[in-house]
Amino acid sequence: MLELKSISKRFGAMDMSDVSLTLQAGEYFALLGPTGVGKTVLIEIIAGLIRPDSGRVSWDGADITSLPPEQRGFAVVYQDYALFPHLSVARNIAYGARARGCGSTEISARTARLADMLGITELLARRPDTLSGGEQQRAALARALATEPKLLLLDEPLSALDTNTRVRLRRELKRINSELGATILHVTHEPEEAMALADRIGVMLDYRLRQVAAPEELFRRPTDVSVARFLGIQNVLSVSSVRGDICEVAGQRIHASSADESTRHIWIMPEELLLSHQPFASSALNQFKCTVINWDHSDALLAVQLACGDLRLIALITYTSFQQLNIEPKRQLYVTFKSSAIHCL
Amino acid sequence: MPDKPSLLRRWWFELLLAALGACLLLFVVAPLAGMIFATSVGELSRAAAENAVIESIKITLTAAMLATVASAVFGIPLAYLLARKRFFGRSLVLAIVDLPIIIPHSAAGIALLMVIGRNSLIGRITGGGLVSTVAGISVAMAFVSLPFLVNSAREAFASVPVRLERVARTLGASPQRVFFTVSLPLAWRGVLSGMILMWGRGISEFGAVLIIAYHPMTTPVMVYQRFNDYGLPAARSVAVLLIVICIAVFVALRLVSRFGAKEGSDA
């Protein structure tokens, strides 16, 4: 179990402060955030390559803050693979096991097993510069796994790869986690990647860990508006005032059952918006006349941009409703949503 | 011929650069070529048959080799530190490394006499110091040529990505293991070419060597002595012999280092 307690580090423009985090054994944890928020620095602090200014790194309760990297047993895989260019793939994979003093039979057994698992057996005699990006990343993963690390630190491992390779390697990472039981900390800037892989996601913005949650929870209940915006959540609206359970948003009065005085932003999942030609009676408290601005494809659904006065909303609808409603720019519609469908931030 | 003027107009700047560069190359090649062609094979073989000449060439090559190997032991670690660490006084250290390039070499010889001469501490302990010994010649050569080794090696280490060393650490390698299995193998070619450069510079040293040791006589000193005592042709044949040997060894070592780099990377 890895535990970070109030990690702080300053250098240059970076000012990381008070990052605390606990990783359970066997967990797949994604550290999600845009570029340049200190994710790599955090990984290198965990790996022991950078000393934090203050705070504590511990493993299974033992303080390892000042333990040199070679004694931690955590392996790092970087975006640029960082394979040793003067060594063959086989020797790259064997490097760590050899440094840790494994016998040569054990080393060749491990190399063969991992090469087989990652499908790079034919490449063992080749040199890294003759491999494709995907092959290099498989070799780098094999090299890290050959040391049987207690913790695998992945720094944007898939970001330099093309889409197909990325999807295939995601599956390998998931397998490494489930079959080998490796604890993984995976740094990424793509919400989708974090969603697809992680048991839990930590969102890092401005050198701070803003929210840690399971994927479903994170996308349903972001704790604040900057997290929601980073996750690409739509219909995040600024509230100008609250009276009772009525929020005033862009000149419209919206019923939100969970609103209180502290509510500054609300958001409505685009799937929760109901569109119709005519107003209709229902238990939903919010119904507005609106105009279609435009529409767009969003995966298998359609995203319809609506204007209700100054209020802008996006509704996700199926292709069937799209045809039934005969949607086109400037069409007048009614949008309806429940007061309980509104999340307050 | 409508093409010619337009071609000239398009390429005049590159042509100008090439012409200016060619002048400089000619300035280097012409005197050497002139000297080599002016020396007959007979003169050359007579010089090559002379024991004193052979002896001086041996001394020169050996002393320069000793200087290079000894400096490598101390210079490669320094180069690595300078490439990897940012510490207080680093630019001062860089300046000190370059110092031998700018001070007059005869003055360097005088300064070295203070340390290894008869009246120095070393001189009193050893009873005579290193004056007029091969070791003394090596010291003089090392002093004036070590910047070439340290600077090449420093650049070679700096071109090894830090990330490779970091990955090696996380894989369980100690700093010294990382140095010998990652940094040095990847920088080896640059380090070796620095050693070759230093060796070549050591062979050609005259000023500092002359102050430390007139005898045993190195070949550059012998060229000077023959010129003073017997005139141009006598000096020329020895000079050409040394130049030919130097170029041959230089080319051979370059080839070895290139071949070696390929071999090493296949391992």
Side-chain angles (χ1 to χ4, degrees), chain A residues 135-193:
Chain A
E135 291 167 339
Q136 288 192 55
Q137 199 53 295
R138 281 164 197 272
L141 273 171
R143 179 179 64 176
L145 291 170
T147 62
E148 302 189 331
K150 294 186 252 176
L151 173 64
L152 190 55
L153 299 164
L154 309 174
D155 188 6
E156 300 268 4
L158 310 178
S159 303
L161 305 171
D162 63 82
T163 315
N164 283 334
T165 315
R166 201 181 312 163
V167 170
R168 244 177 289 138
L169 264 170
R170 264 187 206 167
R171 248 174 268 146
E172 303 287 352
L173 288 176
K174 200 74 200 167
R175 263 181 74 201
I176 288 166
N177 176 238
S178 54
E179 286 179 24
L180 303 181
T183 310
I184 297 181
L185 175 60
H186 179 142
V187 160
T188 178
H189 64 267
E190 287 181 62
E192 192 204 334
E193 192 167 291

Side-chain angles (χ1 to χ4, degrees), chain A residues 10-274:
Chain A
R10 271 162 170 266
F11 60 66
M14 194 196 70
D15 179 13
M16 180 187 292
S17 68
D18 204 26
V19 173
S20 296
L21 178 66
T22 306
L23 253 69
Q24 301 301 330
E27 186 177 21
Y28 201 125
F29 189 93
L31 190 61
L32 176 65
T35 323
V37 295
K39 302 190 304 285
T40 298
V41 173
L42 193 60
I43 274 220
E44 294 191 328
I45 286 174
I46 296 171
L49 295 163
I50 296 178
R51 278 289 289 274
D53 295 339
S54 63
R56 221 170 78 114
V57 183
S58 48
W59 180 263
D60 285 345
D63 188 345
I64 56 165
T65 317
S66 51
L67 203 65
E70 64 269 25
Q71 289 170 28
R72 295 195 181 195
F74 304 163
V76 184
V77 174
Y78 286 106
Q79 178 178 358
D80 61 2
Y81 329 120
L83 290 166
F84 305 123
H86 59 303
L87 302 177
S88 67
V89 171
R91 285 180 141 235
N92 262 284
I93 297 173
Y95 186 91
R98 195 165 291 179
R100 292 186 193 281
C102 280
S104 55
T105 17
E106 171 64 16
I107 292 175
S108 30
R110 276 191 204 178
T111 307
R113 193 178 65 235
L114 288 166
D116 182 51
M117 176 179 180
L118 289 159
I120 49 171
T121 305
E122 298 76 43
L123 308 174
L124 284 175
R126 300 253 296 269
R127 290 214 292 121
D129 59 3
T130 66
L131 308 183
S132 71
E135 291 167 339
Q136 288 192 55
Q137 199 53 295
R138 281 164 197 272
L141 273 171
R143 179 179 64 176
L145 291 170
T147 62
E148 302 189 331
K150 294 186 252 176
L151 173 64
L152 190 55
L153 299 164
L154 309 174
D155 188 6
E156 300 268 4
L158 310 178
S159 303
L161 305 171
D162 63 82
T163 315
N164 283 334
T165 315
R166 201 181 312 163
V167 170
R168 244 177 289 138
L169 264 170
R170 264 187 206 167
R171 248 174 268 146
E172 303 287 352
L173 288 176
K174 200 74 200 167
R175 263 181 74 201
I176 288 166
N177 176 238
S178 54
E179 286 179 24
L180 303 181
T183 310
I184 297 181
L185 175 60
H186 179 142
V187 160
T188 178
H189 64 267
E190 287 181 62
E192 192 204 334
E193 192 167 291
M195 281 285 277
L197 288 167
D199 301 322
R200 282 193 306 153
I201 298 175
V203 179
M204 202 160 170
L205 295 171
D206 306 322
Y207 315 119
R208 274 156 190 75
L209 200 55
R210 299 294 274 275
Q211 184 173 10
V212 177
E216 320 77 56
E217 159 107 8
L218 180 66
F219 281 80
R220 295 211 150 250
R221 304 208 179 286
T223 45
D224 66 50
V225 66
S226 54
V227 172
R229 295 234 160 94
F230 172 71
L231 294 173
I233 291 174
Q234 280 161 330
N235 296 339
V236 179
L237 309 167
S238 299
V239 176
S240 49
S241 67
V242 187
R243 198 168 304 129
D245 68 343
I246 297 173
C247 301
E248 187 158 322
V249 177
Q252 304 283 0
R253 293 152 60 85
I254 295 179
H255 290 264
S257 49
S258 58
D260 58 37
E261 282 77 36
S262 66
T263 301
R264 292 289 165 271
H265 293 88
I266 56 170
W267 73 279
I268 315 155
M269 283 176 72
E271 295 88 336
E272 306 268 8
L273 301 188
L274 218 64

Side-chain angles (χ1 to χ4, degrees), chain A residues 255-311:
Chain A
H255 290 264
S257 49
S258 58
D260 58 37
E261 282 77 36
S262 66
T263 301
R264 292 289 165 271
H265 293 88
I266 56 170
W267 73 279
I268 315 155
M269 283 176 72
E271 295 88 336
E272 306 268 8
L273 301 188
L274 218 64
L275 299 183
S276 58
H277 282 297
Q278 300 299 326
F280 60 91
S282 79
S283 61
L285 290 170
N286 298 300
Q287 191 162 72
F288 301 99
K289 198 173 174 187
C290 61
T291 313
V292 174
I293 302 171
N294 214 334
W295 58 270
D296 219 331
H297 292 280
S298 173
D299 294 321
L301 299 173
L302 292 133
V304 184
Q305 300 160 38
L306 306 164
C308 321
D310 289 335
L311 178 66

Side-chain angles (χ1 to χ4, degrees), chain B residues 49-245:
Chain B
E50 205 183 320
N51 270 339
V53 175
I54 300 294
E55 192 55 31
S56 87
I57 288 174
K58 268 192 206 157
I59 287 167
T60 311
L61 299 187
T62 318
M65 188 63 78
L66 280 174
T68 305
V69 171
S71 302
V73 172
F74 299 95
I76 293 174
L78 176 64
Y80 184 69
L81 284 180
L82 286 170
R84 278 294 179 254
K85 306 288 177 200
R86 294 290 173 271
F87 50 87
F88 178 76
R90 180 176 176 272
S91 39
L92 181 68
V93 174
L94 285 172
I96 291 172
V97 167
D98 282 340
L99 210 53
I101 294 178
I102 56 148
I103 60 172
H105 288 182
S106 50
I110 300 289
L112 285 172
L113 270 187
M114 311 284 291
V115 184
I116 60 166
R118 286 193 181 84
N119 299 319
S120 68
L121 187 64
I122 293 175
R124 274 185 216 132
I125 293 165
T126 57
L130 303 178
V131 171
S132 299
T133 64
V134 175
I137 295 171
S138 280
V139 170
M141 287 175 169
F143 186 88
V144 298
S145 55
L146 65 85
F148 296 93
L149 169 70
V150 175
N151 288 334
S152 299
R154 177 172 54 78
E155 277 163 31
F157 283 124
S159 70
V160 176
V162 183
R163 193 156 272 195
L164 295 181
E165 294 177 353
R166 297 189 149 202
V167 165
R169 290 290 299 279
T170 69
L171 291 170
S174 58
Q176 60 274 21
R177 191 182 177 96
V178 172
F179 178 80
F180 286 111
T181 58
V182 177
S183 323
L184 195 57
L186 286 172
W188 181 239
R189 215 167 141 172
V191 172
L192 193 63
S193 88
M195 289 175 75
I196 295 170
L197 214 57
M198 173 170 179
W199 184 67
R201 183 63 196 80
I203 289 169
S204 62
E205 180 52 23
F206 170 70
V209 170
L210 186 69
I211 304 278
I212 301 287
Y214 194 77
H215 287 287
M217 199 175 269
T218 66
T219 319
V221 175
M222 180 176 271
V223 170
Y224 173 72
Q225 178 246 339
R226 299 245 159 146
F227 177 67
N228 273 347
D229 295 356
Y230 310 106
L232 184 60
R236 197 174 56 204
S237 57
V238 178
V240 169
L241 198 62
L242 182 64
I243 288 170
V244 169
I245 290 170

